[in-house]
Amino acid sequence: MATLIALAGLPGTGKTTIARLVAQARPAVFLRIDEIEAVLRVEDERRDIGPLGYQIAAALAVSNLKTGQDVIVDCVNPWPLTRAMFADAATHAAAAFLSVEIICSNTDLHRGRIESRVSDIGKGHAEPDWQAVIDRDYTPWREADVCLDTAKLSPEAAAKRILSALCA
């Protein structure tokens, strides 16, 4: 059965690195909300796109899940509302759902990651600074199936934990 793996976590926690490792190992379709949103903002980087990036990712997830492909969604996924969008997508596609929250409990490490980031996304995307990260409206995902702390786990170890949860 195909599985939708929905990640959640603040910028700089390691979601994209981990998602890529899981997508390569599984293999799975890799949907990165930042890239979708960058395309939506290419003409105006300040454009308010609301939930459109998430809605597009959820629709693409359903299409790929229905073909039997696993899908990993890489996004901040900050609220129960956005998380439910992906759970509903899995249900709609008759697929399994794995929820994963990624945190970085070491503030200095997390801040260092944010301040040293180099974006690999082109026009339409701006990396947040540390103040934007700490000011972000984000609700911890306490009921996530898997919670990973990248202050304590390497990206490879975190990816292995997700892959193990998929096999359980």
Side-chain angles (χ1 to χ4, degrees):
M1 171 184 283
T3 302
L4 192 158
I5 306 153
L7 302 186
L10 289 170
T13 57
K15 295 181 306 296
T16 300
T17 301
I18 294 164
R20 285 181 174 143
L21 291 169
V22 172
Q24 291 166 350
R26 188 76 174 159
V29 173
F30 172 57
L31 299 176
R32 187 175 178 194
I33 301 294
D34 285 347
E35 292 188 57
I36 294 168
E37 290 179 344
V39 170
L40 294 171
R41 288 190 181 105
V42 76
E43 296 299 322
D44 178 5
E45 290 185 15
R46 298 181 199 275
R47 176 182 174 202
D48 180 11
I49 57 171
L52 193 54
Y54 281 73
Q55 293 166 336
I56 291 168
L60 291 171
V62 169
S63 295
N64 283 283
L65 290 164
K66 285 183 174 182
T67 68
Q69 301 286 321
D70 288 336
V71 174
I72 186 161
V73 179
D74 168 18
C75 57
V76 173
N77 209 356
W79 312 301
L81 175 71
T82 58
R83 297 163 188 165
M85 186 183 306
F86 295 115
D88 291 347
T91 299
H92 182 70
F97 181 70
L98 181 70
S99 55
V100 180
E101 183 174 40
I102 301 176
I103 65 167
C104 181
S105 63
N106 181 318
T107 303
D108 292 335
L109 176 62
H110 191 182
R111 183 177 186 158
R113 289 177 183 168
I114 292 297
E115 292 176 347
S116 65
R117 280 168 83 150
V118 177
S119 181
D120 64 344
I121 301 174
K123 185 174 168 111
H125 179 73
E127 292 291 344
D129 63 13
W130 180 242
Q131 192 62 50
V133 172
I134 60 175
D135 289 346
R136 183 96 189 220
D137 182 12
Y138 181 86
T139 303
W141 202 354
R142 306 230 186 274
E143 62 279 357
D145 298 314
V146 178
C147 183
L148 304 168
D149 184 350
T150 59
K152 299 174 182 174
L153 291 170
S154 69
E156 294 78 15
K160 283 182 184 176
R161 291 230 182 137
I162 294 170
L163 293 165
S164 293
L166 289 168
C167 296

